[in-house]
Amino acid sequence: MEPIPLSGGQLMLTNPDDHTLLARDPALIGGALAYTQADLDRMRMTCPEVPVGLTAGCPPLPADCAPPVAERYMGACRAAFRPLVRQQADFYYLCGAPNFYALRAAVLAMTDLSGTALMAELSVDADGRMEDGTDVLAAVAVLQRIGVSTIVLTAEESQDLTDALRLAAPYARVSLGVRCPAVWLLRDLDLPNVELFVPVPHERARRLADLVRTRPYSRTVIPRELDDVVLAPDGRDVHFIDWTTSISDEIPCDHELDERLVELEDEAPAAFKLLIEEEEDVITLEENLYMITRPVCLCAESPELLEKALRVYAGLALYDGTWEQEERILKYFSEKYGLICM
């Protein structure tokens, strides 16, 4: 996935009428974000100096939550995003996902359709978690490995935004941004490692531009941690493991998977190796995702089955060489789904 083609500024324009900011503060403007085809065309005419992206709102989850939820939701996303992809924006801004599982599926759907650069908006709650309980660092760790180039955090409370940034910043390998009301910048707000400011919907960028340029809010820079540990989220929580971590024996993904996972809770292996042998195993895996509390190593003799499992599993799966796969396939799985080859 290409990096976001921003022009180096800190502010994203979200209204065609804000193009006058370009004349006043050209170095401040990084790009423009449109909501409709008409807005996209207008912004390209009025802001030819900056890249223009298009908002891609995520559809609601299906009312019927029976598996296969992931593939059904990806299908809904592809249907919603296909008309946007035809408009050939410079980047796409994914937002409005009902939860992290849906956001990850939306990213995979968009990368199924296009290789254009992606931003993703994460809404965070208290304690550095999303409303569905997903740890913000777990979400960032997954998104930055599956094609998202910029992650924009938003929250209902300014302190929640700061807390989430402090958790994610040391391990983020992509650009971090915030989407917040301009008035928040009037407070003693600490936004570590933030590179991009996006106005909230229905708020003009002019006041935000003035505050970004003039307010002495804290611009703390948190150093990035070295890659001597592996971030292996399970889809909800993040786990730090090393390259020699212990992995369990093969665990069949059959009708007894939930019982086996409970039995293994008190045992030593740091990661569970889940065996995918047939299509039904993928459905069983999806049904039991909520039971998984450790990193997961997925193994399947068939690369087709392994890919189906990777599309369902919301974390970053490990691969330990069981049933050796071709190098090109592993490269694809790593780039598309964030597969971690141990």
Side-chain angles (χ1 to χ4, degrees):
M1 185 66 62
E2 293 296 319
I4 300 295
L6 301 182
S7 56
Q10 291 178 280
L11 185 68
M12 181 74 72
L13 301 181
T14 54
N15 188 305
D17 296 332
D18 282 326
H19 70 276
T20 53
L21 286 172
L22 278 170
R24 194 184 75 184
D25 292 303
L28 186 65
I29 311 304
L33 183 62
Y35 295 90
T36 66
Q37 176 67 63
D39 283 346
L40 184 70
D41 294 338
R42 284 182 62 197
M43 285 185 167
R44 279 176 165 162
M45 291 182 63
T46 58
C47 308
E49 302 93 337
V50 299
V52 181
L54 196 58
T55 300
C58 299
L61 284 166
D64 174 13
C65 292
V69 176
E71 280 300 335
R72 287 162 56 204
Y73 187 71
M74 285 181 217
C77 288
R78 285 192 293 271
F81 299 157
R82 194 169 284 112
L84 305 179
V85 170
R86 296 194 191 106
Q87 296 170 27
Q88 298 183 336
D90 295 317
F91 61 91
Y92 294 98
Y93 186 98
L94 291 172
C95 60
N99 55 37
F100 175 68
Y101 194 68
L103 179 58
R104 176 188 178 272
V107 170
L108 294 180
M110 183 62 89
T111 58
D112 285 345
L113 298 173
S114 171
T116 304
L118 284 182
M119 289 186 181
E121 184 178 290
L122 276 182
S123 179
V124 294
D125 215 332
D127 303 318
R129 291 188 178 270
M130 301 175 67
E131 186 176 353
D132 66 354
T134 301
D135 182 284
V136 65
L137 179 54
V140 168
V142 171
L143 295 176
Q144 68 186 5
R145 286 184 59 93
I146 63 172
V148 175
S149 299
T150 298
I151 297 172
V152 177
L153 302 183
T154 185
E156 293 292 328
E157 301 292 337
S158 59
Q159 188 59 51
D160 293 341
L161 194 59
T162 293
D163 291 345
L165 284 164
R166 286 195 167 277
L167 289 170
Y171 304 97
R173 302 296 183 262
V174 293
S175 297
L176 293 176
V178 293
R179 190 169 203 173
C180 65
V183 69
W184 284 14
L185 300 190
L186 292 171
R187 308 171 187 172
D188 185 18
L189 187 63
D190 185 16
L191 299 174
N193 293 31
V194 167
E195 300 176 36
L196 182 69
F197 292 85
V198 182
V200 295
H202 312 302
E203 185 170 89
R204 301 290 291 276
R206 293 177 184 178
R207 190 174 185 215
L208 187 58
D210 291 337
L211 295 173
V212 168
R213 187 180 71 254
T214 62
R215 287 297 298 177
Y217 67 87
S218 175
R219 296 174 184 268
T220 302
V221 176
I222 298 178
R224 289 180 171 175
E225 294 289 338
L226 299 177
D227 291 324
D228 55 353
V229 294
V230 182
L231 269 65
D234 61 24
R236 182 180 184 275
D237 296 303
V238 71
H239 303 274
F240 296 86
I241 62 175
D242 61 35
W243 294 103
T244 59
T245 194
S246 59
I247 299 175
S248 73
D249 294 332
E250 294 171 1
I251 304 169
C253 282
D254 56 21
H255 65 282
E256 296 181 348
L257 176 61
D258 56 344
E259 297 176 12
R260 291 193 177 98
L261 292 175
V262 170
E263 291 171 358
L264 287 168
E265 272 301 311
D266 297 327
E267 295 191 10
F272 294 146
K273 181 186 289 190
L274 301 184
L275 176 63
I276 309 296
E277 296 182 290
E278 56 187 14
E279 298 271 352
E280 189 66 29
D281 293 348
V282 177
I283 294 176
T284 302
L285 171 62
E286 187 170 25
E287 290 175 336
N288 289 278
L289 289 176
Y290 73 98
M291 295 284 296
I292 294 173
T293 58
R294 297 191 195 180
V296 163
C297 175
L298 289 175
C299 63
E301 185 173 11
S302 160
E304 291 78 16
L305 273 179
L306 181 55
E307 179 166 23
K308 289 181 179 181
L310 287 168
R311 290 175 79 81
V312 162
Y313 180 61
L316 293 176
L318 310 177
Y319 171 75
D320 69 345
T322 303
W323 279 316
E324 185 175 354
Q325 304 287 345
E326 294 181 33
E327 189 67 31
R328 63 178 181 83
I329 291 175
L330 292 176
K331 183 175 184 294
Y332 167 70
F333 287 164
S334 178
E335 293 174 352
K336 176 72 175 181
Y337 306 105
L339 181 68
I340 300 170
C341 296
M342 301 299 286

